[in-house]
Amino acid sequence: MTTQHTPYAIGHAPSHTKHHEWRTAANSAPHLLPHLPKALSSNPNLKLLDIGCGPGTISASLAQHLLPSGHVLATDIADDVLERAKEHAISQGLSVPQNISFQKESVYELSFPDNEFDIVHAHQVLCHLDDPVAAVKEMLRVCKPGGLISLRESDMHMWCFWPELPSLLKFHELMVNVMLANGGQDKGGRKLVSWIMEAGVDRKDIEAGFGTWCYSEPGDRKAWGEAMIERLRTGQMRQRGIEVGLTTEEDIEEMVKGWREWMERGDATLGIVNGEVIVKKAAS
């Protein structure tokens, strides 16, 4: 009998995925990039599975690193976001399906055979799942023995704002509580090693660390702030927050004003800490 899991409640509306387009392999998979040259030297036709690709900006930049013969298969659960990811890949000069292809998949029930991919990558996926360990087990299943699994997850309690505007602190509290109300994980970054070991991986096969995002340059502040305002105006966070009594229309307007002030402040910064792991699947 198939286990029923909580769906990806946040969805793929532009209000949620807009700021995801800022992400690249360089700023969102820096722990994986140093491993690619060695992997390609031993297998130029390397196959990389990208789970939960969203708008595909990380997928496309990973595909650039695998040229000319490597291949990225980017997956997500929604047709519309996969189409946007495909359009982005083409805009970056990648050949579809030679360099990169796209497929609708659930991380809980991947349609691929065992030991299929040299590298399995997922970025900010486990935090949205009610059973991250089951997802890791499925990633392990489709990864080749000796292959790599690359994961990166934000830890929602390791965000730091300046200035510490009360409205933005209230926004952060709302974001955490909506994540939990949706069945997600608010401490994914610090739990990665634990989840992976629970999935059956020996600690010696896990390389763990933490990386950061920093939104401080004017363009980065604008991209992040506008995306958060759009979430508050039209996104699932607004709808869900009001629905379960976590916020009010008045609070939301206060948060919108806070993000506008933050974007305009020359000294404004936002730092986010992400847990990062590279897992080497044991040889069979």
Side-chain angles (χ1 to χ4, degrees):
M1 181 177 176
T2 302
T3 302
Q4 294 297 312
H5 293 284
T6 302
Y8 182 57
I10 292 175
H12 296 90
S15 59
H16 183 71
T17 61
K18 183 176 181 180
H19 79 279
H20 295 175
E21 297 170 7
W22 173 86
R23 300 172 181 173
T24 64
N27 66 32
S28 298
H31 58 303
L32 173 59
L33 294 184
H35 295 270
L36 294 182
K38 181 178 179 181
L40 284 167
S41 68
S42 60
N43 180 12
N45 299 312
L46 181 151
K47 294 197 297 183
L48 185 151
L49 175 65
D50 190 18
I51 294 173
C53 69
T57 51
I58 299 176
S59 312
S61 54
L62 285 171
Q64 298 280 6
H65 284 276
L66 302 188
L67 293 173
S69 302
H71 183 266
V72 170
L73 175 52
T75 69
D76 213 300
I77 59 172
D79 292 322
D80 58 340
V81 78
L82 286 169
E83 187 59 34
R84 298 207 306 269
K86 180 179 177 181
E87 291 171 359
H88 173 75
I90 293 170
S91 76
Q92 299 303 299
L94 292 166
S95 174
V96 178
Q98 181 179 347
N99 306 133
I100 186 169
S101 56
F102 301 89
Q103 190 165 316
K104 189 175 181 179
E105 293 282 342
S106 165
V107 67
Y108 290 120
E109 297 178 291
L110 297 170
S111 65
F112 314 112
D114 296 354
N115 308 323
E116 179 72 8
F117 296 94
D118 301 282
I119 297 175
V120 179
H121 171 265
H123 181 273
Q124 311 297 345
V125 171
L126 300 181
C127 62
H128 296 290
L129 305 181
D130 59 3
D131 192 350
V133 175
V136 173
K137 288 180 178 178
E138 189 68 349
M139 295 180 202
L140 286 164
R141 181 185 68 79
V142 301
C143 185
K144 293 179 181 178
L148 303 178
I149 298 172
S150 171
L151 303 173
R152 194 177 201 241
E153 295 290 334
S154 171
D155 193 302
M156 298 184 74
H157 297 277
M158 290 196 281
W159 288 32
C160 56
F161 295 94
W162 187 260
E164 292 180 323
L165 302 175
S167 56
L168 297 192
L169 297 176
K170 186 179 291 186
F171 172 90
H172 181 252
E173 181 181 7
L174 173 63
M175 198 171 193
V176 170
N177 287 331
V178 168
M179 174 69 81
L180 294 173
N182 286 337
Q185 313 293 327
D186 59 330
K187 298 177 181 176
R190 72 187 73 180
K191 288 184 173 181
L192 274 176
V193 172
S194 179
W195 288 338
I196 293 163
M197 292 180 68
E198 191 175 342
V201 177
D202 193 296
R203 181 63 184 85
K204 66 179 176 56
D205 295 324
I206 305 170
E207 176 185 310
F210 285 90
T212 60
W213 280 324
C214 179
Y215 297 86
S216 184
E217 294 297 322
D220 294 340
R221 293 200 315 271
K222 184 174 187 293
W224 179 273
E226 287 181 347
M228 296 305 103
I229 288 172
E230 193 169 348
R231 284 192 186 191
L232 288 166
R233 291 289 197 200
T234 64
Q236 191 269 353
M237 185 170 71
R238 172 196 182 94
Q239 176 186 341
R240 184 68 165 151
I242 292 174
E243 176 186 305
V244 298
L246 295 172
T247 191
T248 65
E249 296 282 0
E250 292 77 13
D251 284 343
I252 286 172
E253 287 307 309
E254 182 185 346
M255 295 176 213
V256 168
K257 291 177 182 176
W259 279 118
R260 285 178 175 155
E261 178 181 345
W262 181 83
M263 283 191 291
E264 293 169 1
R265 288 274 299 254
D267 63 341
T269 59
L270 167 63
I272 299 175
V273 176
N274 298 277
E276 302 171 340
V277 296
I278 296 292
V279 179
K280 184 173 183 180
K281 182 176 175 180
S284 55

